[in-house]
Amino acid sequence: MNFIPLGNRIMVEDIIEKHHGMIAISPMTKEKPTGTGTVIALGDTINNPKAVGGATTQVAVGDIIYRGEFIGQIVKVDGKEYRVMNISDVLGKLG
């Protein structure tokens, strides 16, 4: 199934930090979103100056972006979790 974010939203796959080693960690803290993710899809009005409310951005599919830790909504597509967030919530990207 293809998911296309609407408007000025992007779909991001969170980068999960996993802790391994000799230290016992509670199951609740083993995986924690670090506030980073990989852009999977761009909304239909991003980079479309003719669209109403369209936004021009320097973010492209495949970029690693930084965001606030609890920004966006989690959606499941084909059994995998993604985060849908507004492009204005992107703090920056790795260059």
Side-chain angles (χ1 to χ4, degrees), residues 3-13 38-48 51-57 59-61 65 71-75 82-90:
F3 180 89
I4 299 171
L6 298 179
N8 292 331
R9 293 181 182 88
I10 62 173
M11 186 164 107
V12 175
E13 183 176 4
T38 304
V39 177
I40 302 299
L42 298 174
D44 57 350
T45 63
I46 294 177
N47 296 330
N48 183 358
V52 175
T56 302
T57 180
V59 175
V61 172
I65 56 103
I71 299 295
Q73 298 293 317
I74 302 296
V75 296
Y82 298 96
R83 185 176 303 269
V84 176
M85 55 186 277
N86 208 333
I87 189 69
S88 63
D89 291 329
V90 174

Side-chain angles (χ1 to χ4, degrees), residues 5 14 21 23 33-34 38 41-43 50 52 58 60 64 70 72 74 94:
D14 284 341
I23 300 171
T34 60
T38 304
L42 298 174
K50 293 182 180 180
V52 175
Q58 297 175 344
I64 296 176
F70 299 104
I74 302 296
L94 283 178

